[in-house]
Amino acid sequence: MQNKQSIHGAWANRWIFILAATGSAVGLGNIWKFPYIAGENGGGAFVLVYLFCILLVGVPIMMAEVLVGRRGRQSPINSMRETAYEAGHHGRWAGVGWLGALAGFFIFSFYSVVAGWVLYYIAGMGSGLFIDIGSEQAGQIFNGLLADPQTLLIWHTLFVVLVMMVIAGGVNKGLERATRILMPLLFVLLFVLLIYSMNSGYFGAGWDFLFSFDTSALSGEAVLEALGHAFFTLSLGMGSIMAYGSYMGKKDSIGGTVLTIAALDTVVALIAGLAIFPIVFANQLDPAEGAGLMFVTLPVAFSQMAGGQVFGFLFFLMVGFAAWTSAISLMEPGAAWLVETLGLSRVRASILLGVIVWALGVLALGSFNLTSDLLVFGMTVFEFLDFLTANVMLPLGGFLVALFVGWYLTREMTEDELSLRSSFVYQLWRFVIRFVSPAAVAVIFALKIYEKLAA
Ligand code: PFF
């Protein structure tokens, strides 16, 4: 059974898998979210905790997800059930897959709204909307966009259509093709922008902000945020990576592949920070600006720099590509399940998913205008969906996957999939997945709850 193929197809080779998973991992989380939450949480100290979380929690759990996907060779829901059966356990482990699918819908709903802003900015940069503007005008343009449900709706709809077109194409003609075209472009654009920012004159200030580790600035809030972000940025805890793993070649090494993906994702986040903060400092803007950081500060900077229009256009194009490849992975677990279990065609599955996430997205985009008064636990629907998924559902999903793989799958199964028979690396991974990763998630949750109660 371990040698079976997925009915959905398989990646052409190991590098395609690496690029596809990196495409999933690298997204708005790296370029929009990471810089702004690092900015809000004081920079360096937050970055340090985030790096620990990637290494101690993210990498081992990503290995676990790929392992389950490749072993089960189905959508995350069915792979969880299948591998649970193989290990002699109850099929209710499929619930972890369901939790992930739900998280995928929730994430998509706010992700697509932000991706819609990005599309608007690509068009705006291309048409000269941002030529010669100051921070006040940039703020006005951004707030004007947020206050305009119709425009938001148009771009959100376009983004949903773009994603669903790829999903409809299936693993080889959709996902793999998008990966082959978009990922090289993304890397080239990122590199060009890094060079540009290195020449902005404030590279050192950006560097210090990200890497001067002042741990006294750390709150429990920031630690939970760092943990949640580690899951979010690596696309863990909801099945994306598990689904991608189910199309992976049987002979490819999981450990090395996962390390490469995590390293690429981290490097992109750091480069995005190194590209953004120097520009922020060069223009005396506020690093703790929040969710608008990329959308308000950067256009100002681009409008005043030599070649800024072109680079601004390229920057938002890059962000758009990154968001696209990530959003595809948010929908793949659901699409695979619909095809496997309900027998839908890829096209039908993607239309059905598209309608659902489009409607959820409409709810999220109302948070900036029509339904801005609607608060859930003091947060707008948009903020709540972000908080609930990144800080609660993904860590919980990851925690359960770690327990499942560490304590419920047989040692033979995991040894076989990781092909690390009794080696030191295997022992280390097994120790971490059984004890360290679940404990880290549990402690951070407890810390957060304690902080809430004490407040
Ligand atoms: N990893 C993506 C990002 O950093 O933007 C977002 C994401 C994609 C989260 C897929 C979760 C996921 F399953």
Side-chain angles (χ1 to χ4, degrees):
M1 138 166 175
Q2 296 87 293
N3 289 322
K4 67 183 182 202
Q5 284 284 324
S6 162
I7 59 163
H8 308 286
W11 306 116
N13 57 53
R14 173 168 176 258
W15 269 100
I16 294 292
F17 171 62
I18 291 182
L19 283 186
T22 305
S24 165
V26 171
L28 294 172
N30 304 60
I31 312 173
W32 163 66
K33 219 174 159 194
F34 172 74
Y36 98 71
I37 54 180
E40 281 181 339
N41 290 293
F46 172 85
V47 174
L48 187 66
V49 180
Y50 160 78
L51 293 175
F52 265 110
C53 291
I54 295 278
L55 212 63
L56 281 184
V57 185
V59 168
I61 292 184
M62 191 187 269
M63 288 170 69
E65 283 204 20
V66 174
L67 178 164
V68 172
R70 189 168 71 176
R71 190 77 174 185
R73 287 281 187 225
Q74 293 172 66
S75 64
I77 295 173
N78 292 331
S79 286
M80 285 295 294
R81 181 184 299 111
E82 200 62 28
T83 46
Y85 284 155
E86 193 193 341
H89 295 291
H90 201 285
R92 66 174 156 251
W93 279 103
V96 178
W98 282 107
L99 176 77
L102 192 65
F105 282 116
F106 287 169
I107 295 176
F108 196 103
S109 61
F110 71 86
Y111 209 78
S112 168
V113 174
V114 181
W117 305 345
V118 174
L119 297 182
Y120 174 85
Y121 272 62
I122 297 174
M125 284 284 169
S127 65
L129 179 66
F130 298 98
I131 291 180
D132 216 12
I133 51 165
S135 42
E136 210 166 297
Q137 282 156 301
Q140 276 166 6
I141 296 177
F142 184 56
N143 291 326
L145 172 67
L146 296 188
D148 177 359
Q150 257 170 357
T151 309
L152 290 178
L153 193 62
I154 292 173
W155 295 106
H156 158 64
T157 308
L158 178 63
F159 186 73
V160 173
V161 171
L162 285 172
V163 173
M164 292 312 161
M165 273 165 37
V166 177
I167 290 288
V171 174
N172 297 103
K173 295 207 190 94
L175 278 60
E176 186 166 321
R177 193 184 287 171
T179 301
R180 282 181 193 271
I181 301 171
L182 297 176
M183 293 311 287
L185 283 172
L186 192 145
F187 286 124
V188 171
L189 290 176
L190 187 72
F191 186 68
V192 169
L193 286 156
L194 179 67
I195 304 283
Y196 181 65
S197 132
M198 282 175 130
N199 291 317
S200 69
Y202 282 77
F203 193 72
W207 181 276
D208 286 347
F209 183 72
L210 282 177
F211 298 113
S212 54
F213 300 128
D214 169 14
T215 38
S216 66
L218 267 189
S219 61
E221 185 85 44
V223 177
L224 178 67
E225 189 92 46
L227 175 79
H229 189 64
F231 278 99
F232 187 85
T233 191
L234 293 178
S235 303
L236 296 179
M238 65 135 286
S240 282
I241 293 294
M242 201 182 277
Y244 279 22
S246 71
Y247 314 136
M248 183 188 185
K250 174 72 187 161
K251 294 213 178 67
D252 300 339
S253 126
I254 292 182
T257 305
V258 162
L259 271 179
T260 313
I261 298 163
L264 284 172
D265 183 74
T266 307
V267 166
V268 174
L270 296 175
I271 292 185
L274 287 175
I276 288 175
F277 286 116
I279 303 180
V280 170
F281 293 124
N283 293 277
Q284 285 96 46
L285 301 164
D286 179 9
E289 152 85 36
L293 183 68
M294 189 174 96
F295 295 97
V296 178
T297 50
L298 282 187
V300 182
F302 284 129
S303 97
Q304 277 148 20
M305 289 171 145
Q309 286 305 303
V310 177
F311 284 105
F313 174 76
L314 293 179
F315 176 83
F316 283 103
L317 195 62
M318 172 188 80
V319 183
F321 289 162
W324 194 6
T325 51
S326 296
I328 293 166
S329 76
L330 283 167
M331 290 293 100
E332 181 57 23
W337 184 82
L338 286 172
V339 172
E340 277 161 19
T341 309
L342 301 188
L344 297 193
S345 67
R346 281 301 287 208
V347 175
R348 291 213 169 155
S350 57
I351 294 174
L352 179 63
L353 289 171
V355 171
I356 300 173
V357 291
W358 179 84
L360 277 173
V362 172
L363 284 181
L365 70 81
S367 295
F368 297 98
N369 37 71
L370 303 176
T371 52
S372 58
D373 296 341
L374 182 65
L375 298 185
V376 193
F377 298 113
M379 293 173 258
T380 63
V381 172
F382 177 94
E383 289 165 343
F384 177 68
L385 287 170
D386 181 1
F387 176 82
L388 177 71
T389 50
N391 293 0
V392 181
M393 293 177 87
L394 300 187
L396 181 63
F399 176 81
L400 292 172
V401 168
L403 284 189
F404 176 64
V405 172
W407 296 92
Y408 287 84
L409 292 190
T410 63
R411 194 185 168 109
E412 293 70 50
M413 285 169 81
T414 54
E415 257 182 348
D416 179 36
E417 279 309 318
L418 295 176
S419 348
L420 291 171
R421 282 185 197 290
S422 307
S423 65
F424 171 71
V425 183
Y426 177 77
Q427 308 283 2
L428 183 68
W429 170 81
R430 190 166 156 90
F431 177 74
V432 173
I433 202 77
R434 300 184 100 192
F435 300 100
V436 182
S437 312
V441 176
V443 166
I444 293 172
F445 263 119
L447 193 78
K448 170 77 189 163
I449 292 168
Y450 172 78
E451 206 176 65
K452 265 257 169 337
L453 294 180

